[in-house]
Amino acid sequence: MSETFTSVTSGPDAPALRERSRLSFDLDVDIAVVGAGLAGLTVALEAARLGASVAVLEGRHVGWNASGHLLGTVMPGFGLPIGELIARIGFEDTRELWSLSKQGADFVRANATEELMPGIAPSEGALEVSNVEGGDEMISRLQMLGEDFETEVEGWQVDRVRAELRTDRYFHGVYYPKAFQIDGRKYVHGLAALARRAGARIFEDTPVVSIDPSGIRKRIVTPSARLRASHIVLAGNIHLGAPLRRLSETLLPVWRYAALTAPLGERLADVMTFQGSVTDNDGIDHFRIVDGDRLMWASPETTWAARPQRFAPAIARRIRTIFPRLGRVDIAEVWGGAMGQTVHGMPQIGQLRKGLWVTSGFGRQGLNTSAMAGQLIARSILWGDERWRLFSPFELVWAGGRTGRAAGYMIGMWERGSSAAAGALARYRERARVQERIHEARLAEANRQAGTRPQPRRPPPGRPRPARPRPPAATGEGEGAS
Ligand SMILES: Cc1cc2nc3c(=O)[nH]c(=O)nc-3n(C[C@H](O)[C@H](O)[C@H](O)COP(=O)(O)OP(=O)(O)OC[C@H]3O[C@@H](n4cnc5c(N)ncnc54)[C@H](O)[C@@H]3O)c2cc1C
C-alpha cells in the first residue's frame, strides 16, 4: 500500500516523528480494543472519556489501512440506500438508525474542530449527483429525507448542478448543506491524540495473535505480552485474521484507490465551482477540491490488493471523462485502502457473546458510522445503553471466501457497466431532445419565412403513430359525448 498521503504528516501524532510504543509487558484493563482505525479509536476515546481503563492494540500503526486514506466526507446515513433499509427493517427502526447515523456525524463535527485537531480544515456541504435523469425519484427521496428523516436537503435541478459542475455526465442532485469534509488523515491521528489525552493507551506494532473470550476476564495474546480485560472490542476490519477468522470471513474486502492531482490552476474553476464533496448516486466517483486548485478523486476498486500507483492513469482518464474541458491532468499522489463490505451492506455492530464486541464492516461510509458505533458500544459497556440491538437484524453472514471476492468483483464491474450504460442512454436522450428542439425551431422559422403552416411530423420508426384527430361532427356529437 502506498505510504504517500495528501494531508500534512507533521505534528505530535505523525507516525514518522512520534515514537511508536509496542506492548511488551502484561496488562490488565477494563476494555481492550483490537485495531486503531476509526472504529477502534472512537470506542477507545468514548470509553476513556466515560472513565474506563482502555488499551488499544494495533498490529501496524494508527490509521494504517482505510482510516488513514479517506477523502474525509462526512454524511448522514449508511452505505445501504434508505429505501432498502426501510424494506428490510421497517420505517420506524430505519428512522432510529438514521438518527443514530446523524449523531455519528455530530460526534465527528464536535471533535474535528481546529481547536482540538489543528489543521483539520472542515468545510461544508456535499452533493450527490445522479448519473441518469431521475427527477421523480429525487423528489420523493427529498421529501422522505426532509420530512420523515429530519435531514436538511435541497434538490438541485440539472441546470443548477451543471452550473457548478460543468459536465453533461450529471443530471439532478441532492445537496446536503449539513454534510462536511475534513482532512481524513489528520482526523484519525487527532482521534488517537484525544483518546490518549482521555487516558487510553495505544500500542502500535502490536498484533493480536489470539483471544480467549471465555470467562469474566478475557485474555489476549500478542507476540510479546498478555493482556486481560473484561471486554474485548474487535475493530480489525478485514485484517483481523487469527483472533477470530470466522468474523473476518463475513467481510468482502474491497480495495478503493484515490489520487490527488497536481495543481490545475484556473482550469479547475472553469469546470467546477462547487467547494464541497461530490458523489454520484452509483457510488462510482467521489471527489472534491483541495488546496484551492487540486482535485482529490476516488474511483477504482478491486477485490484484491494491488499497487495503487497502477491506477494513476485510470484515475486521470476518469477525471477527463467527467470533465473533458480540463484537458491533461497530472497525478501527484495515489493511495488506496481496504474496506470491509458486508453481504447486507450494513455495518457489524454489537455483542457476539458476553463481553466480546464487534465494530466493523463500514464500507465506503465509515466516518459517521464508526463514530456512531463507538458511542453505542462504549455506552452499552459502561451505561447499559442497549440501542446497538437495532443492528441485530443485520447478522454476520459469510462473504463467500475466494469465490465471494471474484463474484463481488464481477458484480461491481457489472454495476459500474450498467450505470455507465444508463448514463450514456440518458445523455443520448438529452442530446436527441436538444436536436429535436433545434430541428423544430428551424422548421418553424422556415415555415414562417415561407408563410406555410407546419406539416404534421412523421413519428420515428418504432413509435406508435398518434391517433389522427377526427373532425368534430356537425351535429355536435363530439362534445359531451360519453
Ligand atoms: C480511498 C478511500 C476513501 C474513503 N473515503 C471516505 C470518506 O470520504 N468518508 C467516509 O465516511 N468513509 C470513507 N472511506 C471508508 C472508510 O475509510 C472506512 O469505512 C473506515 O476507515 C473503516 O475503519 P475501520 O476502523 O473499521 O478499519 P481500518 O481502517 O481498516 O482499521 C482497522 C485496524 O485494525 C488493525 N488490525 C486488524 N487486525 C488486527 C489484529 N489482529 N491485531 C492488531 N491490529 C489489527 C489494522 O492494522 C487496522 O489499522 C474511504 C475509504 C477509502 C479506501
Side-chain angles (χ1 to χ4, degrees):
M1 187 185 310
S2 163
E3 294 285 338
T4 53
F5 309 109
T6 53
S7 41
V8 184
T9 48
S10 58
D13 291 292
L17 301 181
R18 186 178 41 76
E19 204 184 312
R20 293 187 199 157
S21 81
R22 176 180 302 171
L23 182 62
S24 53
F25 48 89
D26 292 354
L27 196 62
D28 255 45
V29 288
D30 297 329
I31 301 174
V33 180
V34 183
L38 292 175
L41 291 169
T42 318
V43 178
L45 170 59
E46 190 69 1
R49 279 177 175 167
L50 297 180
S53 65
V54 183
V56 181
L57 309 175
E58 164 56 50
R60 315 278 181 123
H61 59 78
V62 165
W64 166 70
N65 182 36
S67 301
H69 298 82
L70 6 95
L71 260 63
T73 307
V74 189
M75 309 253 309
F78 300 89
L80 193 67
I82 201 163
E84 289 180 38
L85 205 47
I86 294 172
R88 177 136 194 176
I89 58 168
F91 187 75
E92 281 312 318
D93 283 357
T94 302
R95 258 170 68 93
E96 277 201 59
L97 284 184
W98 190 268
S99 150
L100 286 174
S101 85
K102 289 205 304 182
Q103 288 169 32
D106 291 343
F107 176 94
V108 180
R109 190 183 277 279
N111 289 292
T113 60
E114 284 293 343
E115 203 187 357
L116 292 175
M117 299 182 184
I120 193 79
S123 62
E124 302 292 321
L127 182 64
E128 189 187 330
V129 287
S130 171
N131 289 318
V132 292
E133 278 192 291
D136 291 347
E137 196 200 315
M138 190 184 78
I139 289 165
S140 66
R141 200 145 141 258
L142 279 172
Q143 274 172 342
M144 182 153 69
L145 286 172
E147 289 166 20
D148 302 324
F149 290 84
E150 289 154 23
T151 301
E152 224 175 284
V153 276
E154 277 173 27
W156 282 15
Q157 297 296 345
V158 185
D159 293 351
R160 174 85 197 267
V161 169
R162 292 185 182 177
E164 305 250 358
L165 305 171
R166 276 163 222 129
T167 171
D168 66 355
R169 294 264 151 179
Y170 300 141
F171 292 83
H172 299 88
V174 178
Y175 176 61
Y176 296 79
K178 291 279 171 64
F180 58 101
Q181 38 276 315
I182 48 175
D183 182 324
R185 185 162 166 74
K186 274 208 182 270
Y187 181 68
V188 73
H189 289 285
L191 268 186
L194 290 182
R196 283 195 188 96
R197 218 176 291 163
R201 302 170 77 178
I202 301 174
F203 300 98
E204 295 170 286
D205 295 328
T206 303
V208 170
V209 291
S210 72
I211 59 171
D212 176 2
S214 56
I216 294 180
R217 298 292 289 165
K218 293 153 196 336
R219 289 162 218 272
I220 288 187
V221 178
T222 77
S224 46
R226 279 162 200 279
L227 191 136
R228 279 154 43 101
S230 305
H231 295 267
I232 297 177
V233 182
L234 301 172
N237 195 5
I238 66 145
H239 295 102
L240 182 64
L244 204 58
R245 198 163 294 282
R246 272 182 304 140
L247 183 61
S248 303
E249 287 172 354
T250 59
L251 290 176
L252 175 72
V254 177
W255 280 262
R256 189 160 170 88
Y257 306 93
L260 178 72
T261 67
L264 297 164
E266 312 250 303
R267 286 186 291 153
L268 184 55
D270 284 344
V271 300
M272 176 167 174
T273 46
F274 185 70
Q275 296 296 317
S277 296
V278 181
T279 49
D280 65 73
N281 61 338
D282 292 305
I284 296 172
D285 294 302
H286 176 187
F287 54 92
R288 67 187 180 101
I289 296 177
V290 291
D291 304 337
D293 67 347
R294 309 173 94 177
L295 275 173
M296 197 191 273
W297 194 293
S299 186
E301 289 184 354
T302 56
T303 50
W304 62 88
R307 242 174 25 92
Q309 281 70 18
R310 242 184 72 185
F311 296 97
I315 297 177
R317 273 198 306 279
R318 187 73 196 154
I319 295 174
R320 280 202 308 271
T321 302
I322 302 294
F323 294 118
R325 282 166 53 187
L326 258 185
R328 185 192 158 97
V329 171
D330 290 324
I331 300 293
E333 294 176 36
V334 197
W335 64 93
M339 305 171 299
Q341 206 79 48
T342 58
V343 170
H344 40 62
M346 287 292 281
Q348 301 171 334
I349 299 169
Q351 190 167 213
L352 300 173
R353 59 186 289 173
K354 200 161 172 34
L356 182 64
W357 299 82
V358 60
T359 167
S360 245
F362 297 104
R364 294 187 193 123
Q365 199 169 333
L367 271 162
N368 69 315
T369 50
S370 65
M372 170 202 69
Q375 287 176 291
L376 284 177
I377 292 176
R379 288 172 189 197
S380 179
I381 293 173
L382 295 153
W383 287 354
D385 181 339
E386 292 287 279
R387 283 176 303 165
W388 62 267
R389 289 187 190 280
L390 281 163
F391 286 86
S392 306
F394 306 102
E395 292 155 356
L396 302 177
V397 186
W398 184 57
R402 275 172 187 277
T403 325
R405 288 185 190 198
Y409 183 68
M410 297 310 289
I411 291 167
M413 293 304 284
W414 180 80
E415 280 173 354
R416 280 172 179 240
S418 40
S419 151
L425 188 64
R427 290 193 301 281
Y428 167 78
R429 284 200 187 115
E430 190 182 41
R431 276 198 302 272
R433 267 199 305 279
V434 170
Q435 288 300 328
E436 200 167 335
R437 277 200 294 273
I438 293 171
H439 183 80
E440 271 166 11
R442 277 202 196 130
L443 191 67
E445 178 58 17
N447 282 324
R448 195 186 58 76
Q449 284 179 10
T452 52
R453 284 201 301 161
Q455 296 298 308
R457 298 181 55 213
R458 288 166 69 86
R463 248 201 241 164
R465 279 170 180 271
R468 198 178 276 246
R470 279 197 291 152
T475 55
E477 158 198 310
E479 256 183 4
S482 59

